[in-house]
Amino acid sequence: MFRSGIKGDKIKVFLLPNGDNVLAQDSESELIKLPHPKSGQLVLFLTVKKEEKSQLFEVNQYKAEPSSWFIDDMVKSDGSMNIVTKYDPLYVLLPFFERCSSDKFHIVDQLVDCEHAETVISSLQDKQLEKICDSTTSGSFIAYKYNEQKTLTWLKAKVEQVVKMLDTTCIYNPEEGGDDVVESEKENKLRCAWGMISEYLSDGLKEKLRVNLKISVKRKKSVGNGDENCKKAKVTASEDYSTKSSLQSPKPSKPLSRAAKALQKIDKKGMKSISSFFKPK
């Protein structure tokens, strides 16, 4: 039950993962904003802190139109749902290491320059940074240096995990062949998995991962004499469908009314048009 006086639109609906103790009594949950590893824009994350360790969760909003929620005796007009899924903190840290990809070692606390950096670092497992970095120890300090080859190996394993998931679930929808080169189902699943992981990568790293996975660049088939390529325009949701297209077939003319037919029979020679009465003299 919710406290009296709370309006329905003030309530947010979250779908939480099962088994991650997100709502455990001895844990603290907090919504924070972190830079997205691909765009750099601040997006919503959920952190769950238990003792000195934290877990990081991604928050994605899903909304179907029209939709609403009925909660107890209240109606929430915004039918969106925030889906919470476990998130690898290395994705958040990766852009910082990419920007400092030199021969120098860095202490991770000094390298990661963003709000809630301490929370992200505390969500790392032991030696997890060594999946994308080389490390060295000096006294009680551990310093790290970005290793691109290690990163690509780690990302390749992520892609392979997604491929296995596509093999065991029904969410995979193969692309239509269209004008693109034909791929086997295995190749298509690999491309799909690479695309999903690339949503969290910079454009440069995305391309390097494509090369590492030996995924070909899609080409267009030649048509006609072989000198021209048939290019099909992509239709995106951002297009304005209210504008008229030159490719639309002309609309059939409406039948004339009885008065309009009678007007056509009148001899209009020598008659002035109505607009001529409004011209300056």
Side-chain angles (χ1 to χ4, degrees), residues 181-241:
V181 293
V182 179
E183 291 182 326
S184 67
E185 183 177 341
K186 182 179 179 181
E187 292 171 328
N188 215 328
K189 283 183 179 179
L190 182 63
R191 183 182 296 278
C192 179
W194 163 70
M196 293 171 73
I197 295 298
S198 296
E199 291 296 317
Y200 304 100
L201 305 178
S202 64
D203 291 340
L205 194 54
K206 171 185 175 181
E207 176 61 18
K208 290 175 182 177
L209 180 59
R210 182 194 65 79
V211 174
N212 186 274
L213 293 168
K214 299 179 181 179
I215 298 175
S216 62
V217 178
K218 283 195 172 183
R219 297 164 294 177
K220 298 293 181 181
K221 291 181 179 179
S222 298
V223 295
N225 297 327
D227 297 327
E228 297 178 357
N229 287 333
C230 178
K231 297 181 179 180
K232 185 182 289 185
K234 291 185 177 180
V235 179
T236 63
S238 60
E239 288 189 62
D240 185 2
Y241 295 102

Side-chain angles (χ1 to χ4, degrees), residues 111-128:
L111 182 68
V112 182
D113 182 22
C114 70
E115 192 177 2
H116 307 295
E118 185 178 344
T119 301
V120 178
I121 295 170
S122 68
S123 65
L124 289 167
Q125 298 177 1
D126 293 338
K127 297 186 177 181
Q128 189 173 358

Side-chain angles (χ1 to χ4, degrees), residues 5 16-17 25 42 51 58 93 98 113 118 133 148 170 180 182 191 226 238 248 261:
L16 303 175
Q25 292 183 353
L42 293 177
E51 297 177 353
E58 183 182 22
L93 301 177
E98 277 191 279
D113 182 22
E118 185 178 344
C133 297
E148 186 178 275
C170 59
D180 297 322
V182 179
R191 183 182 296 278
S238 60
Q248 291 178 338
K261 289 179 180 178

Side-chain angles (χ1 to χ4, degrees), residues 6-60:
I6 297 180
K7 295 182 179 179
D9 286 337
K10 296 292 184 180
I11 299 171
K12 303 297 181 184
V13 178
F14 288 82
L15 179 63
L16 303 175
N18 187 26
D20 284 310
N21 298 320
V22 177
L23 296 178
Q25 292 183 353
D26 57 346
S27 63
E28 298 178 8
S29 301
E30 182 184 6
L31 288 171
I32 63 173
K33 285 189 175 182
L34 295 170
H36 191 278
K38 186 175 186 69
S39 65
Q41 296 180 347
L42 293 177
V43 292
L44 205 60
F45 286 86
L46 175 70
T47 62
V48 179
K49 187 175 181 180
K50 187 175 181 180
E51 297 177 353
E52 296 300 321
K53 293 296 291 182
S54 298
Q55 280 185 298
L56 192 62
F57 295 86
E58 183 182 22
V59 180
N60 285 302

